[in-house]
């Protein structure tokens, strides 16, 4: 985790600003350094004039006692039971968990453990699977307030979500940061399947760009508009948001420097999105490890058919199921 160096007289105000951006790392201790203070941050906040140092400031002792859910549950669960513990997500003040059938009798312990590790939680929800064209997950609240709406902070932006009505995946945070770093000021970018606008917000926060985003789910569109308002003052770029079916709307649009396609699972939007990409396409899909070469070949063939020379790199983004990965094809169109 990095730290930022700030003059000591500005330390308090900057700390508050970093907290509002969700980038202050409260688990670590700030440190005096001559006339400066080193403030712990989760990532480079991208604030002009701030020096970012690759320093791991020490953890606060009180936070060291319980660091992970596994640490907390080690007191109560057997080694065998701990093996069935699944990864969970914290989205705003909601923890989202999957509980294996083997731990059904441990639900209360898991709730207690999550509350100990994340004392700010207001809701704990159990998650089923994503389904339907809008890829909305099934959730049931098992502790706390009866709601699935919250504001999540990521990469310096606030993202309002309603997990019962829209798709949102906090694990794509690093991917969004990666793309925001690849983008150059001045680009025109198209994002079909835009959801509540996480990619658009993270990119527009960092770069002076013009983004056109398209989303079919009316609830996601409505929340996306709210998110633009919520982040208005911190965005450098502009975002135009269109409500509608990408397959009908894209053919009417011009080409863009860059297209980012967070494609819904089971949808083939390759030729649609490639036809709108002037220089770069980032195409997400789910691919079996034995079919990576075939997937890459399909993209190259699409490029060839449309008279373009493309460089294609496939990046594994996350595990999806055994031997199948969520991947991003980074396509560079050279001619
Ligand atoms: C995998 S989610 C990605 C959402 C968002 N980009 C994100 O990363 O959180 C795919 C999104 O595409 C939307 N969608 C599905 N079919 C669509 C279509 N034909 N046109 C536009 N959006 C569509 C869904 O509602 C969903 O929000």
């Amino acid at each position: 985790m990095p730290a930022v160096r700030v003059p000591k007289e500005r330390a308090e105000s900057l700390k508050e600003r970093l907290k509002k951006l969700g980038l202050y790392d409260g688990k670590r201790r700030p440190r005096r350094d001559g006339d400066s203070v080193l403030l712990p941050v989760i990532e480079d906040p991208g604030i002009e004039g701030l020096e970012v140092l690759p320093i791991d400031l020490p953890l606060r002792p009180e936070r060291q006692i319980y660091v992970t859910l596994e640490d907390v549950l080690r007191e109560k669960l057997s080694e065998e039971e701990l093996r069935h513990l699944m990864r969970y997500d914290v989205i705003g003040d909601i923890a989202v968990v999957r509980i294996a059938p083997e731990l059904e009798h441990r639900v209360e312990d898991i709730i207690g453990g999550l509350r100990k590790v994340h004392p700010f939680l207001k809701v704990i929800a159990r998650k089923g699977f994503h389904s339907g064209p809008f890829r909305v997950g099934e959730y049931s609240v098992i502790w706390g307030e009866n709601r699935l709406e919250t504001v999540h902070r990521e990469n310096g932006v606030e993202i309002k979500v309603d997990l019962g009505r829209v798709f949102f995946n906090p694990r794509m945070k690093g991917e969004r940061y990666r793309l925001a770093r690849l983008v150059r000021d001045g680009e025109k970018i198209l994002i079909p399947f835009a959801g509540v606008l996480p990619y658009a917000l993270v990119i527009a926060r960092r770069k002076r760009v013009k983004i056109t985003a398209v989303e079919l789910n009316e609830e996601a569109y409505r929340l996306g508009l709210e998110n633009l308002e919520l982040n208005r003052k911190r965005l450098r770029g502009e975002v135009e948001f269109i409500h509608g079916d990408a397959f009908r709307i894209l053919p009417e649009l011009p080409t863009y420097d860059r297209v980012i396609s967070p494609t819904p699972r089971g949808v083939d939007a390759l030729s649609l999105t490639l036809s709108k990409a002037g220089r770069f396409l980032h195409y997400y899909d789910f691919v079996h490890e034995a079919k990576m070469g075939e997937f890459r070949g399909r993209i190259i063939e699409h490029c060839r058919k449309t008279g373009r020379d493309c460089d294609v790199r496939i990046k594994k983004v996350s595990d999806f199921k055994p031997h199948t990965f969520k991947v991003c094809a980074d396509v560079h169109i050279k001619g």
Side-chain angles (χ1 to χ4, degrees), residues 45-65:
I47 299 175
E48 251 175 54
L50 265 197
E51 187 186 355
V52 182
L53 305 161
I55 292 179
D56 264 348
L57 290 167
L59 284 166
R60 289 179 182 280
E62 68 271 26
R63 307 279 168 98
Q64 272 174 330
I65 302 168

Side-chain angles (χ1 to χ4, degrees), residues 44-321:
D44 177 354
I47 299 175
E48 251 175 54
L50 265 197
E51 187 186 355
V52 182
L53 305 161
I55 292 179
D56 264 348
L57 290 167
L59 284 166
R60 289 179 182 280
E62 68 271 26
R63 307 279 168 98
Q64 272 174 330
I65 302 168
Y66 291 126
V67 179
T68 67
L69 179 61
E70 199 173 329
D71 288 337
V72 176
L73 292 179
R74 205 171 288 285
E75 290 168 6
K76 305 202 169 180
L77 272 61
S78 66
E79 280 301 318
E80 171 60 22
E81 286 175 322
L82 283 173
R83 271 196 278 280
H84 293 289
L85 209 55
M86 293 182 179
R87 268 183 76 181
Y88 63 93
D89 291 308
V90 175
I91 302 175
D93 57 5
I94 303 179
V96 171
V97 283
R98 282 215 167 101
I99 298 174
E102 293 83 353
L103 293 184
E104 219 39 82
H105 61 298
R106 291 295 196 181
V107 172
E108 287 307 315
D109 290 323
I110 293 172
I111 290 173
L114 283 166
R115 291 181 59 202
K116 221 171 221 175
V117 182
H118 307 285
F120 57 85
L121 288 178
K122 294 278 174 14
V123 181
I124 299 178
R126 263 183 98 148
K127 187 179 180 196
F129 292 96
H130 289 270
S131 61
F134 299 154
R135 310 305 303 152
V136 178
E138 287 166 7
Y139 296 88
S140 56
V141 173
I142 54 173
W143 176 84
E145 297 171 16
N146 188 22
R147 62 170 162 87
L148 289 167
E149 197 175 275
T150 188
V151 176
H152 184 68
R153 287 175 185 79
E154 170 201 300
N155 287 311
V157 297
E158 294 187 331
I159 306 170
K160 189 168 174 189
V161 295
D162 183 337
L163 300 174
R165 295 169 194 269
V166 301
F167 175 95
F168 181 71
N169 184 355
R171 295 185 195 180
M172 296 299 278
K173 171 183 164 181
E175 212 18 46
R176 293 190 262 269
Y177 181 67
R178 180 181 79 93
L179 292 194
R181 287 181 52 137
L182 290 177
V183 166
R184 296 278 159 256
D185 281 339
E187 284 189 12
K188 290 193 169 62
I189 302 172
L190 173 67
I191 309 181
F193 318 113
V196 296
L197 294 180
Y199 283 88
L201 293 170
V202 171
I203 293 169
R205 157 100 175 86
R206 296 189 148 250
K207 301 287 162 69
R208 285 193 176 79
V209 288
K210 285 197 170 155
I211 298 176
T212 299
V214 182
E215 169 59 45
L216 182 57
N217 178 355
E218 199 175 340
E219 302 280 359
Y221 176 71
R222 188 181 56 74
L223 281 167
L225 291 180
E226 277 190 52
N227 284 332
L228 287 177
E229 197 46 39
L230 202 59
N231 292 279
R232 199 165 46 87
K233 291 205 177 114
R234 40 174 95 99
L235 299 188
R236 291 184 187 160
E238 295 166 26
V239 183
E240 173 197 26
F241 198 14
I242 302 172
H243 176 222
D245 182 345
F247 285 89
R248 286 171 185 264
I249 287 171
L250 265 60
E252 307 295 324
L253 297 175
T255 54
Y256 292 76
D257 296 314
R258 193 181 294 269
V259 178
I260 297 170
S261 176
T263 330
R265 201 161 96 80
V267 170
D268 183 350
L270 182 58
S271 74
L272 176 76
T273 52
L274 198 53
S275 73
K276 293 292 146 185
R279 285 194 295 146
F280 298 100
L281 167 67
H282 305 280
Y283 187 84
Y284 292 87
D285 208 340
F286 298 85
V287 183
H288 190 279
E289 63 188 2
K291 301 219 162 156
M292 294 289 174
E294 200 178 294
F295 176 57
R296 185 167 173 274
R298 196 161 70 86
I299 299 173
I300 290 172
E301 183 58 19
H302 263 286
C303 289
R304 201 190 53 76
K305 273 192 195 152
T306 51
R308 291 185 290 178
D309 178 20
C310 294
D311 178 34
V312 181
R313 281 166 201 219
I314 311 290
K315 179 177 179 290
K316 286 180 188 164
V317 174
S318 61
D319 290 339
F320 176 61
K321 55 184 186 185

